[in-house]
Amino acid sequence: NAGVTQTPKFQVLKTGQSMTLQCAQDMNHNSMYWYRQDPGMGLRLIYYSASEGTTDKGEVPNGYNVSRLNKREFSLRLESAAPSQTSVYFCASMGFSNYGYTFGSGTRLTVV
Amino acid sequence: AQSVAQPEDQVNVAEGNPLTVKCTYSVSGNPYLFWYVQYPNRGLQFLLKYITGDNLVKGSYGFEAEFNKSQTSFHLKKPSALVSDSALYFCAVRGPLSGGYNKLIFGAGTRLAVHP
């Protein structure tokens, strides 16, 4: 089925470890987004990419980096994980003529 | 700046009763408004959107939402709630299309609990 695929679904990291969250979409969408979801705070935008080769910071970019590898893939990297980065991470995409997002199923990350 | 407010952290409704989940927004220009639903341990699913036209928008699972420009509101409604409607609901707003893309701004979410 067409959609947004995120890997992994679950991850536990130790403080200071690094990891990359992967996201891929097969809908030929131009823009892609990374959000984090925390209780009582809704979804907060970390980074987004309007098109292949461009990325921009969102509300909460500190501690993260991103790569728009091609039109399909948009990865999120934690260089040195901190307990404050314990969260559920969602990737989303939107096409040029579309008006809303298609979301992936999320990655639940715990940093201990 | 764009913003969305969902004033209720939780809404409790008895099964069979009508439900309303409130949302107000602030945006420059004409808003694009959305409702998403999140079931436990799942991603967000699109429910409905308002872009233009009729102020009453119908969506998935029997939900509808009413756009009120003067009150800057976009409340989600359903005539008869089901226990299976229990989930986390997010309202989101997007400003007019700019540069070929745009971002959604989400509210904090409202947890709907439907009791048998």
Side-chain angles (χ1 to χ4, degrees):
Chain A
N1 291 335
V4 179
T5 302
Q6 287 185 239
T7 56
K9 293 190 182 303
F10 302 94
Q11 184 71 49
V12 178
L13 290 178
K14 294 182 179 179
T15 298
Q17 286 185 318
S18 63
M19 78 161 295
T20 300
L21 281 64
Q22 306 287 352
C23 175
Q25 52 91 8
D26 57 6
M27 297 170 286
N28 202 34
H29 284 173
N30 296 308
S31 51
M32 297 184 73
Y33 308 81
W34 277 105
Y35 284 84
R36 60 178 288 173
Q37 182 183 20
D38 302 292
M41 304 194 74
L43 282 83
R44 294 182 292 169
L45 183 63
I46 305 170
Y47 271 94
Y48 62 101
S49 170
S51 61
E52 183 179 351
T54 69
T55 61
D56 287 284
K57 296 178 179 179
E59 301 172 66
V60 288
N62 292 343
Y64 305 95
N65 284 302
V66 290
S67 296
R68 184 73 182 268
L69 305 171
N70 47 55
K71 193 170 187 178
R72 291 186 63 250
E73 298 173 286
F74 187 40
S75 62
L76 178 71
R77 182 161 179 83
L78 287 70
E79 292 290 352
S80 179
S84 61
Q85 294 177 305
T86 294
S87 188
V88 180
Y89 292 85
F90 287 102
C91 178
S93 69
M94 181 168 66
F96 183 82
S97 60
N98 196 355
Y99 296 99
Y101 290 169
T102 300
F103 281 91
S105 58
T107 296
R108 186 174 295 274
L109 176 66
T110 302
V111 183
V112 297
Chain B
Q2 299 170 199
S3 66
V4 176
Q6 294 182 243
E8 304 152 316
D9 291 336
Q10 179 154 332
V11 171
N12 296 297
V13 177
E15 187 173 30
N17 283 1
L19 69 87
T20 299
V21 182
K22 296 180 180 177
C23 172
T24 59
Y25 66 90
S26 175
V27 65
S28 300
N30 294 321
Y32 297 163
L33 295 157
F34 304 83
W35 277 101
Y36 286 83
V37 60
Q38 184 181 29
Y39 298 102
N41 300 314
R42 303 286 296 275
L44 279 75
Q45 298 177 31
F46 171 80
L47 269 183
L48 51 80
K49 66 175 183 274
Y50 172 82
I51 305 300
T52 187
D54 194 348
N55 289 344
L56 185 64
V57 178
K58 294 189 183 296
S60 306
Y61 312 121
F63 283 93
E64 58 190 26
E66 186 169 11
F67 171 64
N68 187 318
K69 189 171 184 177
S70 63
Q71 297 186 4
T72 62
S73 67
F74 189 56
H75 301 331
L76 182 69
K77 300 181 180 184
K78 188 174 183 181
S80 179
L82 300 172
V83 172
S84 57
D85 292 330
S86 299
L88 188 58
Y89 290 81
F90 290 97
C91 182
V93 66
R94 202 195 85 178
L97 191 64
S98 171
Y101 71 96
N102 217 315
K103 306 180 293 293
L104 294 188
I105 304 299
F106 287 85
T110 298
R111 188 164 301 281
L112 174 66
V114 182
H115 306 284

